Amino acid sequence: MKRRQPAGKKAHQLWGGRFAGGQHPALEAVNRSIDIDFRLWPFDVRLSQAWANALVGARVFSRTEAIRVRRGLGRVAKRIASGVRPLRTDEDIHTLIDRLLHDEVGDIASRLHTGRSRNDQVVTASRLYVMDALSKLEREIVKLQRTCVARASSVLGVIMPAYTHLQRAQPVSVAHWLLAHFWALDRDRVRTRAARHSAGVMPLGSGAIAGSAFRVNRARLARDLGFHSISANSIDAVGDRDFMVEALFSMTTLTTHLSRLAEDLILFGSSEFGFVRFADAFSTGSSMMPQKRNPDALELARASPARMTGDLVTLLGTLKGTPSGYNKDFQEDKRALFDGFDGVALLLPAVSGTLRTLRFNRSRMLAAVSSSMMATDLADFLVRRGVSFRDAHHAVGSLVRQAESAGIELSELPVSSLQDAHPLLSSAARRELSPLRSLRNRELPGGTGPSAVSSQLASAREILSDI
Ligand code: ARG
């Protein structure tokens, strides 16, 4: 941002009468927050317009004066939108808007600040920003959820290995794995919505700390601005940043989930797995190795919880131990908050796009399901015939060991070995070593059975259709 102060002109300030001299440049520099809070301008303009109206009810403005101020603010918004930038001397966004409003409507602009303080103003504007940003975030989360559902529908019936400790565990349907990520994202969506609700309490009217001395109709003001309720205590209202903590926490958890989806996909996209292939549009090359096809967006998603956790901890650390009411410490809240929103805003479309455009390699996935992954099914076969799970586990374990030392698949062991391990292990038991059968054994709600996954998919679709 390039800013200039015309020579000889005094800085526009919202305070200063009680000081004889000017500010030291070092104080001015450390105190200024305009580079961070500039983006609050649309919200500060909106709340100022609503405040002008409220001042009519409080008999501070006549109707025509309020109209003049509101229109003036409208012109200020146009000027900022079309590129007017702050001067070096504009302390923060509230000061900038006040200065521009003076340019537009003259001295009447000074009366707009009647009964309010930047303390209730800044937190009101921040809440409006958070409500708006969380609505946008929720829409992006839903887009990724839709992508999970669409991709799950495209691979119904396809089987892959599921891993625990990143070791081959049991076969599942690919749709089941994709939907696992859907449900994690659904909790993020719900959390985002809850955080938005927390932000929807209006502090305006709290003044600096004790409440405004002018009887503005706060309930009406809240309705005009889209808040669902008003704060109950002015001291709490100007010092409460819980809504920011909740917003950042919901983003931290979201990025944690994105990082886990990313890590699955990065592994699955490696030559060793070869389960998926990323589209050209979502792959990057190497400056040295011509063969490379890197999933950069996913790696950045994997790294993102670090930044987000940092922002959350920065905010909590800033708030800790501050005395009640407003403190200048809170000016630092927005740096962390905005960084969080900026981070996720970039990530979600990139992760959605990568998932939407990748190709699944069905045969590679099925080929990775080795017959020992159905060892549990073989043990369950014995359990269904009255054997205790402990004994069944032991018998099948010995078969796995035999197959391993012979370098063959569990399914390749002769029937005689099966019977040696346990007399009830007939050749019929071998059927248990089919991946599809293993899936079909798990038709309970939440399991990977084909019908269970279809109803899971239907529940996911229902959630999305209600949004
Ligand atoms: N720039 C300030 C902030 O972000 C605005 C509130 C300033 N209030 C004050 N009393 N100095 O917190």
Side-chain angles (χ1 to χ4, degrees), residues 201-272:
V201 181
M202 187 194 73
L204 204 57
S206 300
I209 188 157
S212 176
F214 298 83
R215 288 212 50 141
V216 292
N217 183 337
R218 294 189 69 212
R220 183 154 166 217
L221 195 50
R223 266 198 312 279
D224 289 352
L225 287 169
F227 288 102
H228 59 73
S229 57
I230 61 174
S231 54
N233 179 304
S234 60
I235 303 175
D236 178 41
V238 293
D240 172 17
R241 298 294 184 273
D242 294 2
F243 67 102
M244 295 189 183
V245 173
E246 286 167 47
L248 273 176
F249 177 71
S250 71
M251 290 189 270
T252 305
T253 317
L254 166 66
T255 54
T256 302
H257 293 150
L258 292 180
S259 75
R260 301 192 68 194
L261 169 62
E263 174 62 356
D264 274 359
L265 290 173
I266 292 165
L267 284 171
F268 294 171
S270 67
S271 308
E272 282 67 19

Side-chain angles (χ1 to χ4, degrees), residues 175-437:
H176 196 52
W177 163 72
L178 276 164
L179 289 173
H181 292 289
F182 170 92
W183 295 112
L185 289 167
D186 203 51
R187 295 191 295 278
D188 293 321
R189 181 186 64 79
V190 170
R191 249 190 299 273
T192 302
R193 201 169 264 204
R196 187 178 190 282
H197 187 81
S198 297
V201 181
M202 187 194 73
L204 204 57
S206 300
I209 188 157
S212 176
F214 298 83
R215 288 212 50 141
V216 292
N217 183 337
R218 294 189 69 212
R220 183 154 166 217
L221 195 50
R223 266 198 312 279
D224 289 352
L225 287 169
F227 288 102
H228 59 73
S229 57
I230 61 174
S231 54
N233 179 304
S234 60
I235 303 175
D236 178 41
V238 293
D240 172 17
R241 298 294 184 273
D242 294 2
F243 67 102
M244 295 189 183
V245 173
E246 286 167 47
L248 273 176
F249 177 71
S250 71
M251 290 189 270
T252 305
T253 317
L254 166 66
T255 54
T256 302
H257 293 150
L258 292 180
S259 75
R260 301 192 68 194
L261 169 62
E263 174 62 356
D264 274 359
L265 290 173
I266 292 165
L267 284 171
F268 294 171
S270 67
S271 308
E272 282 67 19
F273 279 80
F275 294 178
V276 303
R277 184 180 163 87
F278 305 114
D280 283 3
F282 284 97
S283 303
T284 53
S286 151
S287 57
M288 185 183 192
M289 300 164 283
Q291 85 283 10
K292 286 304 286 291
R293 226 186 147 70
N294 297 329
D296 283 23
L298 298 175
E299 290 169 279
L300 292 166
R302 189 170 57 187
S304 66
R307 173 175 172 185
M308 228 47 69
T309 309
D311 289 333
L312 176 61
V313 173
T314 298
L315 178 61
L316 288 168
T318 304
L319 301 176
K320 181 198 162 295
T322 46
S324 53
Y326 175 84
N327 299 276
K328 190 72 171 193
D329 311 48
F330 299 162
Q331 181 162 288
E332 293 292 298
D333 58 8
K334 289 173 283 306
R335 189 190 298 273
L337 181 76
F338 296 159
D339 187 69
F341 277 113
D342 292 347
V344 290
L346 290 172
L347 280 176
L348 279 161
V351 174
S352 288
T354 308
L355 182 60
R356 197 177 54 247
T357 53
L358 60 79
R359 276 206 331 256
F360 289 107
N361 187 329
R362 297 161 187 239
S363 50
R364 283 290 296 240
M365 288 193 280
L366 186 59
V369 179
S370 48
S371 60
S372 61
M373 293 177 67
M374 276 70 75
T376 313
D377 299 271
L378 201 55
D380 291 344
F381 171 90
L382 288 175
V383 170
R384 286 198 187 92
R385 279 149 189 82
V387 180
S388 77
F389 185 73
R390 194 190 157 85
D391 290 345
H393 190 283
H394 188 81
V396 176
S398 75
L399 290 172
V400 171
R401 183 158 34 83
Q402 278 176 53
E404 226 170 60
S405 56
I408 56 173
E409 279 287 308
L410 189 59
S411 55
E412 287 168 344
L413 283 174
V415 184
S416 57
S417 308
L418 297 191
Q419 299 230 296
D420 285 351
H422 199 287
L424 285 172
L425 285 177
S426 57
S427 63
R430 272 214 164 119
R431 285 206 294 271
E432 296 301 329
L433 298 178
S434 132
L436 183 57
R437 197 179 164 98

Side-chain angles (χ1 to χ4, degrees), residues 33 37 91-92 94 117-119 122 241 326-328 330-331 333-334:
S33 61
D37 60 29
E91 184 184 317
D92 57 22
H94 321 292
S117 152
R118 278 182 300 166
N119 297 359
V122 70
R241 298 294 184 273
Y326 175 84
N327 299 276
K328 190 72 171 193
F330 299 162
Q331 181 162 288
D333 58 8
K334 289 173 283 306

